[in-house]
Amino acid sequence: MKFAKDFLFGGASAAYQVEGAWNEDGKGISNWDVFSKIPGKTFENTNGDVAIDHYHRYKEDIKLMAEMGLESYRFSISWPRIIPDGDGKINPKGIEFYNNLINECLKYGIVPFATLYHWDLPQTLEEDGGWTNKRTVKAFVKYADTCFKAFGDRVKHWITFNETIVFCSLGYLTGGHPPAIENNPIKYFQATHNVITAHAKTVSHYKELRQFGEIGITHSFTPNFSVDNKEENIFAAYHANQYNVAWFFDPVLKGTYPEYVVKQIKEKGWTPNWTDEELEIIKSSAEKNDFIGVNYYQPARVIKNDNQQVKMENSRENSAGAPGNVSFDGVWKTVRIDNGKYTKWGWEIAPDAFLDGLRIIKNNYGDIKIYITENGLGDADPIIDEEIVDVPRIKYIEAHLRVVKKAIEEGINIKGYYAWSVIDLLSWLNGYKKQYGFIYVDQKNNLNRKKKLSFYWYKHIIETRGEDL
Ligand code: 8VR
């Protein structure tokens, strides 16, 4: 089987992780500009001031993407570049940059797939309560409207938010991301609800503009599986799925929050301050979503938590279900499984769990169109005779693309695959050590770009539409 002609083979990035030019051309300060400079917050105190300088080198990068045969580029727009203080004046230079980037993609026939929010919030809004403050919801809709009007004639694929669970849980539960608040479920639930509301309002607004493109949200998808058949562990996994999957997928695709969680957080006093109007817009906008974006890296292996520790460990990037974490409510924890395969960063490599996860999405949410908006391997790539021979990455992506193929054959409605990442970039907390790209960026030598082995491999996969997989 070949992938259909309208299936998009893509690659992804995010503004803060690639652009640099943090204070150029009128860009405002983001929460990440501030947070990454607090000593000890990131690996070796790395930050995105320069990143891989995509802001100045986007032409060279997009040319390489075209050479690879990439059909679609998923990038994110930096909110503080467009509206420096969050909800005030528009920065024409910011608009100009993304116009250039989009036009460069179109020059090569690369479909631009834009994410409006990949975690870099204008600092002014962060200081005013960030996602816990409804001012941010209003500001986001205005920012989205600005982007639709500026770029919507050429951008026909929009993602509102990237991985709400990650920036909210690291922001308000583990403290690993800005605003670095720990162990605060009240703020966490308020922030998640405000983001879901902003998404719903934005989707409705986009449809009113009648730009005839498609819009959805990207969720991090870490399906939780019990380690065995013990009833208590099966229950723990169910609970984890309710809080970490249903809480985010249900309001977007069904229009209501899961009853199980709603009831429990009410008992615990964690219910967000939500209005009937907000719940109504969430309900009425659900059917307007054109797709759901799914970022899959690994599953979580879950058992009941027996010890008293209830504080999540503030380890690097632990939100993706990596083993060794206790849930914030203390009910369950994640463990390593004996026969599991793991990356250097301890993330499980489990394509089978990906297939099971996709089946779960179909069972729970029906035929909604799915884009795999991120999937890939973080590695310290082997270099032999100056060639970057990233065979483990090829194997990882190959195995997961096979799953996508199988899922499509089973009738799961997947319309594209975006490898994370198209080019090596700054990992939020792991610096440049953890690489994901098809294109290598030489940190020691002028940020020179170099094609990896996976570059040629992906090019072949795209050319042959995955026939050999
Ligand atoms: C996703 C994020 C994306 C990347 C990838 C891979 C990290 C990283 C944590 O959660 O959308 O920005 O972020 O995962 O891993 O290393 O930067």
Side-chain angles (χ1 to χ4, degrees), residues 48-295:
D49 284 4
V50 179
I52 60 156
D53 201 25
H54 190 56
Y55 188 78
H56 298 110
R57 298 171 82 148
Y58 68 94
K59 284 194 178 163
E60 176 188 352
D61 292 341
I62 293 170
K63 189 163 182 247
L64 281 163
M65 293 178 208
E67 216 185 293
M68 188 165 56
L70 204 77
E71 296 177 326
S72 180
Y73 176 32
R74 175 182 175 228
F75 58 91
S76 84
I77 298 173
S78 159
W79 182 349
R81 227 183 253 300
I82 302 290
I83 305 179
D85 70 357
D87 53 7
K89 280 207 350 230
I90 296 169
N91 172 30
K93 284 279 189 190
I95 303 278
E96 188 185 316
F97 170 67
Y98 293 105
N99 268 332
N100 291 341
L101 182 115
I102 291 159
N103 293 342
E104 200 66 17
C105 286
L106 294 175
K107 181 170 127 188
Y108 297 104
I110 295 174
V111 175
F113 213 121
T115 307
L116 289 164
Y117 187 82
H118 202 128
W119 308 352
D120 44 351
L121 184 70
Q123 176 65 11
T124 45
L125 295 176
E126 187 72 281
E127 280 167 14
D128 201 19
W131 283 108
T132 64
N133 185 344
K134 293 184 186 186
R135 174 183 165 205
T136 303
V137 176
K138 207 169 161 214
F140 180 81
V141 180
K142 179 187 154 158
Y143 155 64
D145 172 73
T146 307
C147 293
F148 297 149
K149 286 175 179 154
F151 315 123
D153 56 335
R154 288 151 294 145
V155 175
K156 295 296 173 191
H157 305 269
W158 295 95
I159 293 164
T160 53
F161 291 92
N162 182 69
E163 300 191 340
T164 308
I165 190 174
V166 175
F167 69 86
C168 290
S169 65
L170 275 80
Y172 297 102
L173 294 174
T174 73
H177 279 195
I181 290 169
E182 289 179 29
N183 221 5
N184 194 323
I186 296 182
K187 288 198 162 137
Y188 168 73
F189 281 104
Q190 187 66 54
T192 59
H193 168 68
N194 288 348
V195 173
I196 295 293
T197 306
H199 166 75
K201 289 188 169 174
T202 304
V203 167
S204 282
H205 180 63
Y206 181 70
K207 293 296 161 182
E208 277 159 20
L209 291 177
R210 293 175 68 78
Q211 292 196 342
F212 305 106
E214 53 175 19
I215 189 163
I217 193 169
T218 277
H219 281 339
S220 155
F221 183 53
T222 306
N224 299 280
F225 299 100
S226 170
V227 288
D228 58 23
N229 285 325
K230 278 197 197 139
E231 208 171 305
E232 57 183 33
N233 294 333
I234 292 174
F235 173 74
Y238 170 79
H239 181 92
N241 281 320
Q242 287 292 309
Y243 276 76
N244 285 3
V245 181
W247 181 257
F248 299 91
F249 281 68
D250 280 18
V252 171
L253 297 175
K254 294 182 173 169
T256 49
Y257 288 106
E259 232 3 90
Y260 178 86
V261 183
V262 171
K263 195 166 160 265
Q264 291 189 358
I265 61 175
K266 194 172 169 202
E267 281 159 18
K268 294 188 165 164
W270 297 341
T271 305
N273 163 3
W274 51 29
T275 66
D276 289 346
E277 187 229 330
E278 288 161 3
L279 295 174
E280 194 41 53
I281 186 125
I282 290 171
K283 187 168 260 166
S284 65
S285 77
E287 60 175 28
K288 297 176 189 160
N289 283 276
D290 296 296
F291 65 85
I292 182 89
V294 170
N295 291 356

Side-chain angles (χ1 to χ4, degrees), residues 407-425:
I408 292 172
E409 281 165 353
E410 284 182 15
I412 300 174
N413 189 15
I414 306 173
K415 287 296 186 189
Y417 174 91
Y418 292 76
W420 183 269
S421 49
V422 66
I423 186 167
D424 282 352
L425 39 69

Side-chain angles (χ1 to χ4, degrees), residues 14 17 118-119 162-163 166 295 297 317 347 374 420 426-428 430 434 436:
Q17 297 181 276
H118 202 128
W119 308 352
N162 182 69
E163 300 191 340
V166 175
N295 291 356
Y297 290 89
E317 308 299 7
W347 292 21
E374 285 181 28
W420 183 269
L426 172 70
S427 167
W428 300 93
N430 300 287
K434 190 184 184 197
Y436 276 97

Side-chain angles (χ1 to χ4, degrees), residues 436-448:
Y436 276 97
F438 297 117
I439 300 163
Y440 173 78
V441 176
D442 192 343
Q443 288 295 330
K444 294 201 189 87
N445 194 2
N446 200 27
L447 302 178
N448 283 345

Side-chain angles (χ1 to χ4, degrees), residues 41 169-170 173-177 182 309 311-326 334 345 347 429-430:
K41 291 292 187 196
S169 65
L170 275 80
L173 294 174
T174 73
H177 279 195
E182 289 179 29
Q309 186 203 353
K311 193 175 160 290
M312 268 172 120
E313 196 193 319
N314 187 5
S315 67
R316 303 229 185 280
E317 308 299 7
N318 64 6
S319 68
N325 289 303
V326 178
T334 51
W345 275 264
W347 292 21
L429 301 178
N430 300 287

